[in-house]
Amino acid sequence: MSQQVRDLIKKVRKIELRTRGLSAMAFSGSYKTHFKGRGMSFSELRSYQYGDDIRNIDWNVTARTGTPYIKVFEEEREQNFMLLVDVSASTNFGSHDINKREFMAELGATLALAAIRNNDKVGVIFFSDKIEQYLPPKKGQNHGLRIIRELLQCQSESPHTDIDQALRYLTGLVRKRCTAFLLSDFLDPNYGRYLKVAASRHDLVGLQVYDPREVELPNLGLLPIRDAETGNWRWIDSASPNVRQAYKERFEQQTQTFKEQFGKLGIDSLSLCTDQPFVGALRQFFQERPAL
């Protein structure tokens, strides 16, 4: 076994232990409150009893036996979850000890392990401006470890972002209604077209991840700035108050667009900064939104 493989295994185990604890904290034992079953499935037949709903009478069995029988249903507990994870070049940016990509790995692992612990299925779509990798929904600890491994090491072939492409893939691939978490920095300005379609078929949640240096530009004089997705370089004067203000306003406009795009369609969303623990924000978010 190579040193690189051993290092990866160590990272997977480390993040599994950390996010398992974070998952328990985020849901505080109330996972079933947040994620209820999506319908009723047939359980058994039994003799009709006074007070039973006559709409549940099985007329075929009743006719054969001469005794009224009803169908008993139970709530379907098993659910499918999908993580849509942005792996474009801009997610590799980080100004301190964790970048956006690593933050999303911990966030995605926390959500995945919560579902797996409850015996639900989880799948992942990794995307840039194309589908980079797809892990079909499955159960089990081994699948959870694979999700963590791919969250840590999935590399994109393209530096660009196309969120619509990921949403289009989701709606075409997953026919049964699921809960889908979209993890991205949402720097792609053209993702509105398929939000409505995806939200009509699935319970979609938008999770925006950003770095504090994307909010405030430090006063460091002339700085070379490179766009991670286009590769273009340019110089900016960070000593200029006007430049710093314009920089801040650009981020605020991107965040406002994200909130408005999701809000007008009734899709829940949450913004998370990489220099802040996400557990408290995630717990409050789920407590305040209706059961999924």
Side-chain angles (χ1 to χ4, degrees):
M1 183 184 298
S2 69
Q3 184 61 44
Q4 185 178 10
V5 173
R6 285 195 293 268
D7 289 344
L8 177 60
I9 292 173
K10 186 182 294 185
K11 284 182 181 180
V12 169
R13 290 297 182 184
K14 182 178 179 180
I15 199 172
E16 186 221 0
L17 290 173
R18 172 171 165 74
T19 55
R20 190 171 296 282
L22 294 177
S23 178
M25 291 167 60
F27 294 101
S28 302
S30 56
Y31 177 96
K32 292 182 180 180
T33 301
H34 300 309
F35 304 107
K36 291 184 176 179
R38 302 201 174 280
M40 308 296 288
S41 61
F42 174 73
S43 175
E44 62 178 342
L45 286 172
R46 65 166 172 79
S47 299
Y48 177 84
Q49 298 174 6
Y50 177 76
D52 285 336
D53 190 336
I54 61 172
R55 291 174 297 181
N56 292 332
I57 292 177
D58 188 319
W59 294 107
N60 290 330
V61 175
T62 298
R64 286 200 309 269
T65 63
T67 302
Y69 275 83
I70 68 164
K71 296 178 181 178
V72 179
F73 297 86
E74 62 181 14
E75 185 183 27
E76 292 181 341
R77 275 295 315 140
E78 181 182 295
Q79 294 194 76
N80 282 351
F81 289 82
M82 289 298 303
L83 302 178
L84 283 69
V85 183
D86 183 352
V87 292
S88 62
S90 64
T91 65
N92 292 320
F93 177 73
S95 63
H96 59 114
D97 59 346
I98 186 171
N99 63 31
K100 291 186 286 185
R101 176 70 185 281
E102 293 164 338
F103 186 91
M104 284 193 285
E106 287 201 1
L107 178 59
T110 298
L111 295 168
L113 291 180
I116 285 173
R117 189 170 63 244
N118 198 62
N119 205 35
D120 287 325
K121 294 181 179 179
V122 189
V124 187
I125 297 170
F126 296 96
F127 69 94
S128 54
D129 62 349
K130 62 180 183 178
I131 304 306
E132 298 285 354
Q133 188 175 356
Y134 168 59
L135 300 181
K138 291 182 181 179
K139 300 180 183 180
Q141 182 67 17
N142 289 337
H143 183 60
L145 292 173
R146 185 186 178 195
I147 288 176
I148 294 173
R149 185 178 73 242
E150 297 304 331
L151 284 168
L152 289 171
Q153 71 171 9
C154 180
Q155 298 297 319
S156 63
E157 294 183 2
S158 170
H160 307 297
T161 311
D162 187 344
I163 294 173
D164 267 354
Q165 174 72 8
L167 294 172
R168 213 164 33 235
Y169 188 79
L170 171 71
T171 55
L173 181 73
V174 182
R175 299 297 183 181
K176 184 178 180 182
R177 185 172 176 83
C178 73
T179 299
F181 294 99
L182 176 55
L183 285 65
S184 176
D185 52 16
F186 289 92
L187 297 184
D188 170 21
N190 302 310
Y191 57 84
R193 290 177 300 166
Y194 273 83
L195 272 179
K196 185 175 182 179
V197 176
S200 68
R201 299 185 185 180
H202 304 290
D203 188 356
L204 187 64
V205 179
L207 298 175
Q208 179 198 33
V209 174
Y210 64 93
D211 185 273
R213 279 289 173 261
E214 293 175 314
V215 185
E216 298 280 354
L217 184 67
N219 183 351
L220 297 173
L222 284 175
L223 291 175
I225 300 294
R226 179 178 180 269
D227 187 311
E229 300 202 1
T230 65
N232 295 331
W233 286 89
R234 66 189 180 97
W235 287 87
I236 63 171
D237 181 9
S238 66
S240 167
N242 291 336
V243 169
R244 294 199 303 274
Q245 182 61 28
Y247 184 90
K248 182 176 182 179
E249 289 176 357
R250 181 187 178 192
F251 171 80
E252 290 174 346
Q253 182 58 53
Q254 289 169 340
T255 301
Q256 185 64 26
T257 299
F258 161 70
K259 292 179 178 178
E260 288 178 353
Q261 289 272 45
F262 280 73
K264 70 183 180 182
L265 295 174
I267 308 171
D268 287 325
S269 63
L270 178 66
S271 296
L272 299 164
C273 186
T274 59
D275 69 346
Q276 298 292 325
F278 62 77
V279 171
L282 205 60
R283 182 168 59 238
Q284 182 178 355
F285 173 74
F286 285 122
Q287 287 173 347
E288 291 178 353
R289 86 185 294 253
L292 302 180

